[in-house]
Structure formats: C-alpha cells, structure tokens
Amino acid sequence: MPDPVLVPTTLVRPPSRTRQLTFVALGICLAALLASLAAVVINVTLASAVAPFAPTADEGHISEGSVVTLADDDVPAIARLDPALRDAMRRAEADAAAVGIAFQVTSGWRSEAYQRWLLADAIEQYGSEEVARQFVATPDRSRHVTGDAVDIVPLDAQLWLIENGSRHGICQTYANERWHFELATRPGGACPEMKADAAG
Ligand SMILES: [Zn+2]
C-alpha cells in the first residue's frame, strides 16, 4: 500500500500553471509599458497643439524689431483699435512730440486666437496658469482683444503717458504693466485706481 506522505504531488504546481502565471505577468508588464508610451504620445500631441499657431499681422501680431506707430492704419493691430482710443493716443502723441518724445506701439488689437496663444505660451513659461494670468489676460477678459488697449515703448514715452496721458483720457491700468494704456477717464479727468495685474 502506498504511503500518501511519500507522494506529495498535490503540493507541486504543474509546470503548465507556472508558465501561465509567467505569461500573465509579462502581459501586465507589456500593458503598463504600452500605457506609458500612450501617455507620452498624448502629452507630445497636446504640447504641439499649442505650437503650430504662429500669430500673423492679421491676428494683430507686431513682430519684434518692426517699428509700428499709431499712424500705421494699414497694420491690423492699429486699424482695429477702438477709434476713440486711437484718436486720444494720437492727440497725446502730438503733445509728447513737442518735447521730443515719440511713441512706438508693440501691441494693439489682438485676435482671440492670438491672445489664447499668448496665454498658453505664458502658462508654459511660468508653469502655472495662476501666475501666467497675472501677465496675460484670458481672451474673454483681454482689453487688447476688444481693441481697447495699446502697449507703448520706449521708456520716456511710457513715463510721459503716465504723467500726462490723463489730459487725453489715457491711463495706465495695470500696476505691473508700465507700457499698457487704455482710455479710462474723460480728458482732463483723474485716472481710476490701477488694478494690480491683468488677473485683477
Ligand atoms: Zn497691454
């Protein structure tokens, strides 16, 4: 009679079962690898979703180094400004010219698409939407998208406008943007208190 203790076959897993488990484990590893590859592909696709849009002059872009003034009616960034702001800025510019100061416009009207691109770019630069919005307004809040703001250089023009712009109703409206001006009061009136930044 066989002694059952000498035949412990029930304690040994059949080899085919071990192989099955190995395949399952390999399958899980492969699935995890594919999932992480998919995540990389999705991230790259999302990142490049921002990149292909290149703002053009028709979107209101003024390329760095090009000299644009308030007289450039053929430039969309100037042509699509609110006429009241443009006229007030031109009167201010004529005043400033009397003391040898000239205005250059680095940004005026911008399309919604351009503003969205600027914000996406700022989020990438600052690594946070909250910080980015202190410098770039969302398209629905931007005064540039409605044609109600101009950014002016150089420094002497900015300082002149901060000091004298209100004679023509022109005011600096964000404390952190010395270059950004809007029609914000009546000619000769007092400028409203500035917002801290574009997010305010
Ligand atoms: Zn601005």
Side-chain angles (χ1 to χ4, degrees):
M1 259 181 70
D3 182 340
V5 175
L6 295 176
V7 198
T9 51
T10 52
L11 295 178
V12 178
R13 278 202 185 105
S16 64
R17 174 91 178 124
T18 310
R19 211 173 294 145
Q20 272 178 5
L21 286 174
T22 310
F23 279 131
V24 168
L26 277 175
I28 290 170
C29 288
L30 191 63
L33 185 68
L34 285 176
S36 48
L37 272 177
V40 168
V41 168
I42 287 166
N43 274 338
V44 167
T45 310
L46 284 178
S48 59
V50 173
F53 176 81
T56 61
D58 284 343
E59 302 280 349
H61 183 248
I62 295 174
S63 51
E64 223 175 305
S66 70
V67 177
V68 170
T69 73
L70 292 154
D72 290 321
D73 284 327
D74 54 333
V75 174
I78 303 299
R80 301 189 68 172
L81 283 175
D82 168 45
L85 168 66
R86 194 173 49 230
D87 291 348
M89 285 297 298
R90 284 174 176 169
R91 285 192 290 272
E93 188 178 33
D95 266 13
V99 290
I101 290 169
F103 298 175
Q104 269 182 47
V105 180
T106 55
S107 200
W109 168 83
R110 299 174 194 146
S111 73
E112 266 189 62
Y114 179 19
Q115 187 71 25
R116 208 174 302 120
W117 179 85
L118 279 175
L119 183 59
D121 191 57
I123 291 170
E124 197 173 301
Q125 188 184 337
Y126 296 107
S128 138
E129 178 163 359
E130 198 188 339
V131 178
R133 284 178 59 173
Q134 293 170 15
F135 302 97
V136 183
T138 54
D140 60 317
R141 292 174 59 110
S142 170
R143 302 283 289 167
H144 285 280
V145 171
T146 55
D148 291 309
V150 275
D151 295 345
I152 298 291
V153 291
L155 179 62
D156 63 354
Q158 295 165 359
L159 297 178
W160 189 92
L161 277 166
I162 289 166
E163 187 71 25
N164 305 290
S166 64
R167 284 191 224 156
H168 302 280
I170 304 290
C171 301
Q172 178 190 358
T173 51
Y174 300 129
N176 71 336
E177 295 188 23
R178 193 185 56 215
W179 50 86
H180 175 106
F181 296 95
E182 300 178 21
L183 195 57
T185 188
R186 59 182 171 75
C191 283
E193 200 180 328
M194 280 183 266
K195 294 179 185 122
D197 54 50

